[in-house]
Amino acid sequence: MHPERVKHSELSKKIMTAQEAAAFIKDGMVVGASGFTKGGDSKVVLKALAQRASVDPLKITLMTGASLGHGIDGRLAEAKALSRRLPFQADPILRNSINSGEVMFVDQHLGETADLLANGFLPPVDIAVLEVAQVLENGHVLPTTSVGNNLAYAQHAKHIILEVNVTIPLEIRGFHDIFYTGLSPHRSIIPVTDAGSIIGTDTMPMDPEKVIGIVFSDAKDSPAELVAPDTKTSAIAGHLMDFFNHEIKMGRMTPSLHPLQAGIGKVANAVLSGFVHGQFENLTMYSEVLQDSTFELIDSGKMTFASACSLAVSQSCYEKFFANLEKYRGKILLRPQNISNAAEVIRRLGLIAINTAIEFDIYGNVNSTHIAGSKMMNGIGGSGDFARNSYMSIFVTQAASKNNTISHVVPMASHVDSNEHDVDILVTDQGLADLRGLAPRERAKVIIQNCCHPEFRDALNEYYQEALARGGQTPHVLSKALSWHQKLQDTGSMK
């Protein structure tokens, strides 16, 4: 069966069903699985595990690159098969289990998980479940649409189960750059000097002795939910385009800007799409996820190269990519996430980081993860990796939502993921606040004037004036700082 997919003679003897492979996973084990924002994830073994757990109870710790597709996280949560999950998720069923306290969720900077595992700060991986396109004669494997933490899991797992996805063309070879840094204090320099630098190998090394099972899969990645730009996201994109054009006019950047990074989601996708219509040229990207807008920019001729660790695209974009691999060869590269999110590279390349906030406060502190300070949404993802180290850290969100009953600009952020020291630019559909070089009191005035919704501006100014009367470097009225969130919990509105 598919001899061209498993070319290692000994490993070809370990082909089995998904159910047989899932049987290797026992109660209490730690599983490291491939997958990053629905790209290159385990599609059959973890599904079989969830089916088994629904009748034969067990609980595991599950580590991945980021979120999984095909509702796998939800299936595992419904089957009560998860005791601990890290470092990211985006499934509504699992989210409920996390917020109820049933599943312990460890929210991590995505660029750090591999090092935490390698240094023994996380429990050792019993079994890695990795999607690949091919197993070569030497035991190395060809990744699919994400690399994520696959290298770390392959290196540190006691055993490995491979899912060979036969829908992935073998011509995908050449779209990956696998590089191992080693461990501190003797880790090697990451010699990425531009987005297109190739520093490693196009296949991933793996010890064939660790492989206990090989399963064939014919399932494609779950498509990303592509939402067309709306009035708010288009306004945000417009404010950013005006800002970048001003930076070019002032001589601080060229029309090529700096390499771009953008988070996942409809706002980031809409913002990137805005570059198609701007006076930009020879753009590059060094990010963690490539969305439809990346391919739109490449197709338009605006972008020359894009590097990340995963694809998170719509069904049509997925099909377009694989139907035109030669067109995109030399323009797309996928790396391990501790390379795509490496502080060293982010700082060297001088990235412009554009990420999404749930809310931010009048001093520029950003909440990316929690609703009303308590309930987890998805996780911090890679936004912190990029915000802390970029040339320019930008956060975007709508000014207000739910018929303007909820303000996303608040007196005090109910949870802080990226603090004011890591934030340069804030953008809403109302406007843009350039915070560079401003003290907290100056920041507050700019944010209230430019970013908040008009229906909340007077209330924010009133809060700020009362806080000023109490003094301090960062003035607050502690008894009222979170009163907007309390009102939201009590009445369903911040007004």
Side-chain angles (χ1 to χ4, degrees):
M1 180 186 292
H2 302 292
E4 79 285 0
R5 294 285 177 165
V6 183
K7 304 183 77 172
H8 190 284
S9 58
E10 289 301 312
L11 292 185
S12 65
K13 301 173 184 177
K14 297 185 178 182
I15 296 172
M16 60 185 65
T17 67
Q19 290 73 24
E20 290 171 328
F24 286 115
I25 301 174
K26 308 296 183 184
D27 183 49
M29 278 190 170
V30 177
V31 176
S34 63
F36 193 107
T37 316
K38 299 183 179 182
D41 53 345
S42 166
K43 299 173 175 66
V44 292
V45 174
L46 291 184
K47 179 181 177 181
L49 179 66
Q51 292 170 337
R52 177 181 142 216
S54 65
V55 295
D56 181 16
L58 59 81
K59 286 186 179 293
I60 65 168
T61 290
L62 178 61
M63 306 177 185
T64 58
S67 55
L68 302 176
H70 296 277
I72 296 296
D73 269 325
R75 290 172 183 262
L76 290 167
E78 284 184 318
K80 311 294 184 184
L82 296 176
S83 62
R84 187 174 296 267
R85 182 72 171 89
L86 64 147
F88 188 84
Q89 62 79 41
D91 185 276
I93 299 174
L94 176 55
R95 183 182 301 132
N96 288 337
S97 296
I98 290 168
N99 287 324
S100 71
E102 181 180 338
V103 176
M104 296 293 104
F105 178 56
V106 183
D107 185 18
Q108 291 179 333
H109 296 299
L110 297 188
E112 296 183 351
T113 304
D115 287 346
L116 293 170
L117 177 64
N119 287 299
F121 301 139
L122 299 176
V125 175
D126 294 297
I127 294 179
V129 183
L130 307 177
E131 183 185 79
V132 300
Q134 186 180 39
V135 184
L136 303 175
E137 293 93 337
N138 61 0
H140 289 202
V141 294
L142 176 61
T144 61
T145 52
S146 75
V147 180
N149 282 323
N150 293 9
L151 179 61
Y153 296 147
Q155 288 176 323
H156 299 289
K158 300 170 188 174
H159 303 289
I160 298 172
I161 296 170
L162 296 176
E163 286 191 20
V164 180
N165 193 325
V166 299
T167 71
I168 303 295
L170 295 180
E171 289 76 18
I172 198 173
R173 185 165 182 176
F175 282 85
H176 306 91
D177 187 35
I178 311 300
F179 182 80
Y180 178 60
T181 63
L183 299 178
S184 300
H186 305 295
R187 63 188 300 150
S188 58
I189 292 170
I190 303 174
V192 172
T193 55
D194 60 63
S197 294
I198 298 176
I199 61 174
T201 58
D202 59 8
T203 59
M204 190 177 80
M206 184 192 69
D207 182 359
E209 295 295 321
K210 290 185 177 183
V211 178
I212 56 176
I214 294 179
V215 178
F216 286 107
S217 163
D218 61 0
K220 297 179 180 180
D221 289 346
S222 290
E225 297 177 3
L226 186 63
V227 179
D230 57 23
T231 302
K232 290 183 178 181
T233 56
S234 296
I236 291 170
H239 296 316
L240 265 177
M241 295 309 107
D242 290 343
F243 169 75
F244 288 131
N245 285 325
H246 176 72
E247 291 295 289
I248 294 169
K249 182 178 180 180
M250 296 299 294
R252 289 191 281 260
M253 282 191 278
T254 71
S256 299
L257 304 179
H258 282 226
L260 302 171
Q261 177 269 330
I264 193 76
K266 67 176 184 179
V267 178
N269 200 59
V271 167
L272 282 181
S273 293
F275 284 101
V276 174
H277 309 293
Q279 301 300 311
F280 308 105
E281 60 188 23
N282 297 318
L283 297 170
T284 60
M285 174 173 284
Y286 194 88
S287 191
E288 60 182 6
V289 175
L290 305 184
Q291 300 185 81
D292 285 46
S293 52
T294 305
F295 290 88
E296 184 181 359
L297 285 166
I298 291 174
D299 293 343
S300 72
K302 293 284 188 178
M303 181 169 285
T304 60
F305 200 93
S307 168
C309 76
S310 177
L311 303 182
V313 294
S314 67
Q315 182 69 33
S316 60
C317 188
Y318 185 90
E319 301 294 346
K320 178 177 71 173
F321 171 66
F322 282 112
N324 298 276
L325 283 175
E326 291 311 308
K327 172 184 175 181
Y328 295 111
R329 191 176 301 279
K331 299 177 182 178
I332 298 286
L333 206 58
L334 301 178
R335 312 177 189 271
Q337 67 193 68
N338 62 330
I339 303 298
S340 67
N341 293 34
E344 172 191 353
V345 179
I346 295 168
R347 184 61 61 89
R348 179 184 301 124
L349 300 187
L351 299 192
I352 296 173
I354 307 171
N355 289 287
T356 305
I358 290 176
E359 65 181 8
F360 55 80
D361 66 26
I362 59 175
Y363 297 112
N365 297 292
V366 170
N367 171 16
S368 303
T369 59
H370 287 70
I371 301 299
S374 298
K375 293 186 177 180
M376 171 60 65
M377 276 298 291
N378 299 327
I380 191 171
S383 63
D385 295 323
F386 293 98
R388 290 173 298 158
N389 301 292
S390 62
Y391 167 84
M392 185 180 294
S393 175
I394 301 170
F395 280 92
V396 299
T397 189
Q398 57 188 320
S401 62
K402 305 294 185 182
N403 294 319
N404 298 334
T405 59
I406 299 175
S407 176
H408 294 259
V409 185
V410 294
M412 177 183 280
S414 59
H415 177 91
V416 176
D417 294 290
S418 295
N419 65 49
E420 60 176 298
H421 308 295
D422 297 331
V423 179
D424 297 315
I425 310 291
L426 292 173
V427 194
T428 70
D429 51 293
Q430 297 297 315
L432 181 147
D434 185 348
L435 309 179
R436 294 173 295 179
L438 300 185
R441 295 182 183 218
E442 295 168 318
R443 285 175 169 233
K445 294 178 182 179
V446 172
I447 291 170
I448 294 172
Q449 179 60 37
N450 294 331
C451 293
C452 78
H453 193 278
E455 293 185 29
F456 289 94
R457 187 169 292 130
D458 287 345
L460 274 177
N461 273 317
E462 181 180 335
Y463 173 85
Y464 179 57
Q465 292 303 318
E466 184 176 349
L468 280 177
R470 303 191 179 211
Q473 161 74 358
T474 307
H476 269 300
V477 184
L478 293 182
S479 62
K480 297 182 179 181
L482 297 176
S483 61
W484 291 27
H485 299 89
Q486 185 64 56
K487 188 182 298 183
L488 176 64
Q489 287 188 339
D490 293 341
T491 70
S493 172
M494 285 186 174
K495 289 185 175 179

